[in-house]
Amino acid sequence: MIILGIETSCDETATAILQKDKDRIIILSNVVASSASLQAKYGGIIPEQAAREQIKAIIPVIEKTIENSKLKIENLDAIAVTFGPGLIGSLLVGVETAKTLAKIWNKPLIPVNHLLGHFYANWIDVAPPKFPYLGLLVSGGHTDLVLFTDHGKYKYLGGTRDDAAGECFDKCARLLGLPYPGGPEISKLAAKGDHSKFKLPIPMTGSKDFDFSYSGLKTAVANMINYKRLTINDKQDLAASIEETIVISLIEKIIKAVKKYNIDQIMIAGGVAANQKLVSRLKTISHKLKTILHVPPPNLCTDNGAMIASAGFFTNPIQNPFILQADPNLSLTND
Ligand code: KG4
Ligand code: ZN
């Protein structure tokens, strides 16, 4: 089976063609166009501007994806598209394009929840993960801990009460004068710093639930910056401390959930899963807990069309493509 995946929930215009033969899912073509360099100038995403860029990019990106795959439109078996959550203008570009193409090419249309889609980056080009597994989604908009028992079947354990982990990286980066997206920038700076120099509060440490919270951490960083004129060495140390604090807070909840639910597989997904400190720390923990760790390659952690096509292999198409509506507020708790 061959699926074209379309992802436009935030500032990327990303499409990919994937093939599934028996258990193996492989990428035939994967194109990502991002307006992040434009957003970098403003320190964050301007939704209207992101959608305008996506309107310009969507058709050329799809054409390039088909061309790179060396396939013809007839070879596609279905179209999978992100229908939420995300920025409404951005989602509409992908959803309306997918609906139109499904109709004129006469292909089934598969609606994919972007949040579930992230996890399916872990199903590409590897032996399929086994259920049940604990999933942590850490992205710019979400921090969710979920226990998966099958495709589309899961128990929601907890999530952030305010800012997402990626959002905290982005906001702290901005406070430090670094460009958007802030996660990779903080990471780069942190590599030269010493995390023990600045003591930041570890959010929700010792709490009995599986929730997260990052707005307090951002405020603590803002207060430190206001209180002291930071040298470049201070900025490196503070960046190291921010990264360390976020990583510790995520790992604490993973360990707790693995023990409580007696799980032997951990899966992480989303842009922050590209953070190498988080990954290397999780590898050590996973070894100690005797669990198997699934982490996508960094280019499949951030938003991409391949994860949406991959999720499409395990999701039902809708009968009538025209009834599909973008849902900016879709979550893992309401579908
Ligand atoms: O999954 P994603 O591409 O978009 C959303 O669905 O939100 O995630 C983007 C987020 C941004 O907040 C970005 O700063 C963060 O992922 N990010 C990272 C790294 N790479 C991207 N955070 C920490 N370390 C990284 N290496
Ligand atoms: Zn995402």
Side-chain angles (χ1 to χ4, degrees), residues 8-333:
T8 64
S9 66
C10 195
D11 59 336
E12 274 85 15
T13 308
T15 66
I17 296 176
L18 273 69
Q19 179 166 22
K20 182 168 181 282
D21 273 327
K22 297 202 182 85
D23 273 349
R24 202 78 172 186
I25 295 173
I26 55 162
I27 297 181
L28 301 181
S29 166
N30 186 23
V31 179
V32 181
S34 174
S35 58
S37 55
L38 252 181
Q39 326 291 352
K41 275 200 254 167
Y42 304 99
I45 294 168
I46 299 173
E48 172 74 18
Q49 190 184 40
R52 280 170 188 260
E53 292 303 312
Q54 284 162 319
I55 288 171
K56 285 190 251 166
I58 187 77
I59 299 299
V61 166
I62 291 173
E63 280 173 345
K64 183 96 191 124
T65 306
I66 296 173
E67 188 191 318
N68 290 356
S69 74
K70 310 257 185 303
L71 296 175
K72 296 199 164 51
I73 289 162
E74 303 87 89
N75 302 124
L76 301 176
D77 295 303
I79 299 172
V81 65
T82 297
F83 74 109
L87 305 170
I88 184 64
S90 296
L91 286 169
L92 282 171
V93 176
V95 168
E96 295 307 315
T97 305
K99 281 159 73 171
T100 309
L101 293 179
K103 201 71 188 168
I104 58 177
W105 290 349
N106 196 22
K107 308 282 179 194
L109 183 64
I110 307 169
V112 173
N113 177 332
H114 177 84
L115 308 176
L116 291 178
H118 267 298
F119 288 106
Y120 283 91
N122 281 294
W123 291 71
I124 300 170
D125 217 12
V126 290
K130 293 200 170 57
F131 292 103
Y133 54 75
L134 179 74
L136 174 72
L137 173 63
V138 263
S139 68
H142 290 85
T143 309
D144 292 314
L145 199 58
V146 186
L147 188 60
F148 286 93
T149 51
D150 205 341
H151 297 291
K153 291 207 177 109
Y154 55 85
K155 179 182 166 70
Y156 186 81
L157 303 182
T160 184
R161 294 185 180 179
D162 38 59
D163 292 354
E167 189 177 357
C168 183
F169 270 115
D170 294 337
K171 287 179 174 171
C172 290
R174 200 174 167 169
L175 290 168
L176 284 167
L178 301 169
Y180 175 86
E185 298 292 330
I186 295 237
S187 231
K188 252 189 272 164
L189 204 60
K192 299 179 203 142
D194 173 355
H195 68 75
S196 65
K197 294 275 171 64
F198 286 91
K199 284 267 166 285
L200 289 168
I202 298 166
M204 311 278 294
T205 188
S207 78
K208 298 226 171 348
D209 51 35
F210 292 105
D211 282 349
F212 304 86
S213 162
Y214 292 101
S215 70
L217 178 57
K218 170 204 64 195
T219 307
V221 171
N223 287 340
M224 278 179 183
I225 291 173
N226 287 340
Y227 169 74
K228 185 173 182 240
R229 199 177 178 83
L230 299 182
T231 63
I232 178 65
N233 283 346
D234 290 336
K235 284 189 177 182
Q236 290 165 352
D237 293 340
L238 186 53
S241 190
I242 294 164
E243 188 179 50
E244 175 76 10
T245 306
I246 294 176
V247 167
I248 291 178
S249 72
L250 294 171
I251 285 181
E252 265 194 11
K253 295 288 158 102
I254 289 180
I255 297 174
K256 211 167 99 175
V258 164
K259 289 185 175 162
K260 175 162 180 188
Y261 294 99
N262 200 15
I263 287 291
D264 65 4
Q265 299 207 43
I266 302 167
M267 183 181 282
I268 60 168
V272 181
N275 184 280
Q276 291 311 299
K277 185 161 206 171
L278 174 64
V279 173
S280 81
R281 211 56 83 70
L282 269 178
K283 278 185 183 158
T284 310
I285 296 291
S286 175
H287 185 73
K288 277 194 194 144
L289 292 171
K290 297 194 171 44
T291 53
I292 295 167
L293 177 67
H294 303 269
V295 187
N299 69 316
L300 297 182
C301 287
T302 46
D303 290 350
N304 63 87
M307 67 189 203
I308 302 304
S310 175
F313 293 115
F314 308 99
T315 313
N316 290 328
I318 48 166
Q319 293 302 321
N320 175 4
F322 279 150
I323 64 167
L324 182 62
Q325 301 229 341
D327 181 353
N329 300 318
L330 197 64
S331 75
L332 289 176
T333 51

